Amino acid sequence: MLSGIGPADRLAALGIPVLADLPDVGRNLQDHPATYLVFTHDEPVSLLAAGQERYVRQFEVDGSGPLSSNVPEAGGFVRTRPDLLAPDVQFHVLPVMFVDCALGVPTEHGISFGPCVLRPYSRGEVSLASDDPTAKPRIRCRYYTDASDLSTMLAGVRTALAIARQSALSPYTVRPWAYPASDSDADLTAFVRAHTQSIFHPAGTCAIGPVLDPELRVHGVAGLRVVDASVMPLVPRGNTNAPTVAVAERAADLIRAAASEPALAATGAESP
Ligand SMILES: Cc1cc2nc3c(=O)[nH]c(=O)nc-3n(C[C@H](O)[C@H](O)[C@H](O)COP(=O)(O)OP(=O)(O)OC[C@H]3O[C@@H](n4cnc5c(N)ncnc54)[C@H](O)[C@@H]3O)c2cc1C
């Protein structure tokens, strides 16, 4: 958008010369909203102590121990309704308190787990706040603006509560730290609205279709491809890193093929 590719009216309002009027640049923002149940306990088995010197040494010696954890150590996929063809909720389970989108500091041993909405219908937006390239963009996630996302999340939280109440977990769910006041719809909704956070899977704001052609080329702009999670028209039903790598590998193939075409033409060889 700073380069003049995006919604012409908004770019012009910021004094940015318009190169290509593409109103959908920045629209269609999707993410996986997540709501974690967090419990604390006294069992010395969480990642709270992972930074201790002995664990640093252990990791240096043979790559084992708490520092070898990927943190979200377990997970699962759930259909919250039997008529669904594919899971609509994913769980991430972490042997540590998950505080303030992981930016906060755990204070006790803990466990965190909870649902995220895998196929959200709400759509957010990224836009420019100014033409200053050092200014932060405006990012509006607009979670739950489509009511069905909230219903899915409530069903996911109910499943999480059922798991949390299993006797095998009782040594680790001693003190509820982030937990709804009751199982009523009203209290679950209040909990979800107060505790929802991003699970860091933003996608969709330069989607194949309205912004890009199927070979990732920007409509109306020669020599420009987009290669990242923003090209996905729909956020995948799962973590986004591997799908982004897949996009990048496909893009590398497309770029390599395009680069070899003139050379092939010069030799008279047929394009593969
Ligand atoms: C905390 C966190 C945890 C995550 N955990 C997981 C996980 O466990 N599993 C999983 O599958 N996914 C996970 N994800 C999501 C995954 O990392 C992203 O989906 C993926 O990295 C998206 O790739 P991308 O290329 O779209 O963006 P990025 O990986 O963000 O790449 C964008 C790149 O552009 C660069 N850049 C930005 N501005 C400029 C500029 N002006 N000029 C030049 N370069 C610029 C940045 O430095 C960056 O290297 C996580 C994300 C976060 C933030």
Side-chain angles (χ1 to χ4, degrees):
M1 286 190 265
L2 285 166
S3 305
I5 303 169
D9 51 346
R10 293 205 199 166
L11 299 184
L14 293 172
I16 297 171
V18 178
L19 189 68
D21 179 16
L22 290 170
D24 289 294
V25 173
R27 290 187 186 155
N28 191 44
L29 174 62
Q30 297 157 62
D31 195 358
H32 293 144
T35 311
Y36 282 88
L37 302 181
V38 183
F39 301 88
T40 64
H41 56 76
D42 300 314
E43 302 285 331
V45 296
S46 83
L47 296 178
L48 181 69
Q52 288 178 3
E53 208 181 321
R54 62 185 166 138
Y55 293 132
V56 174
R57 272 202 302 277
Q58 181 180 355
F59 187 75
E60 282 172 350
V61 169
D62 62 6
S64 69
L67 280 177
S68 67
S69 171
N70 68 342
V71 186
E73 292 188 355
F77 291 83
V78 175
R79 286 180 181 82
T80 62
R81 298 194 323 266
D83 58 303
L84 294 172
L85 291 175
D88 56 343
V89 158
Q90 180 180 1
F91 279 85
H92 291 84
V93 185
L94 302 79
V96 70
M97 292 173 73
F98 199 53
V99 185
D100 290 342
C101 291
L103 296 173
V105 179
T107 51
E108 297 176 67
H109 288 294
I111 184 170
S112 310
F113 58 95
C116 70
V117 177
L118 277 183
R119 179 44 56 84
Y121 292 93
S122 306
R123 294 290 181 267
E125 190 175 5
V126 178
S127 58
L128 290 181
S130 90
D131 65 345
D132 174 359
T134 66
K136 291 180 179 171
R138 287 200 176 113
I139 303 173
R140 294 191 175 90
C141 295
R142 299 199 180 114
Y143 298 143
Y144 309 127
T145 45
D146 188 301
S148 67
D149 293 347
L150 185 60
S151 306
T152 304
M153 180 58 91
L154 293 193
V157 172
R158 285 192 196 285
T159 307
L161 289 168
I163 295 169
R165 289 167 182 156
Q166 300 299 309
S167 57
L169 277 179
S170 59
Y172 314 107
T173 53
V174 179
R175 291 180 293 279
W177 189 82
Y179 198 76
S182 81
D183 287 10
S184 72
D185 273 359
D187 281 339
L188 290 189
T189 301
F191 175 70
V192 164
R193 290 201 178 279
H195 290 270
T196 288
Q197 56 186 60
S198 170
I199 204 155
F200 315 121
H201 295 164
T205 50
C206 268
I208 295 172
V211 180
L212 309 177
D213 74 8
E215 297 199 358
L216 306 171
R217 292 172 296 212
V218 179
H219 293 311
V221 184
L224 182 63
R225 282 184 162 93
V226 177
V227 184
D228 60 19
S230 73
V231 311
M232 303 173 189
L234 282 174
V235 67
R237 289 180 197 258
N239 295 44
T240 44
N241 190 64
T244 307
V245 171
V247 167
E249 291 190 352
R250 178 74 183 126
D253 289 344
L254 291 167
I255 292 166
R256 195 166 43 196
S260 68
E261 272 166 17
L264 286 170
T267 61
E270 280 189 23
S271 180

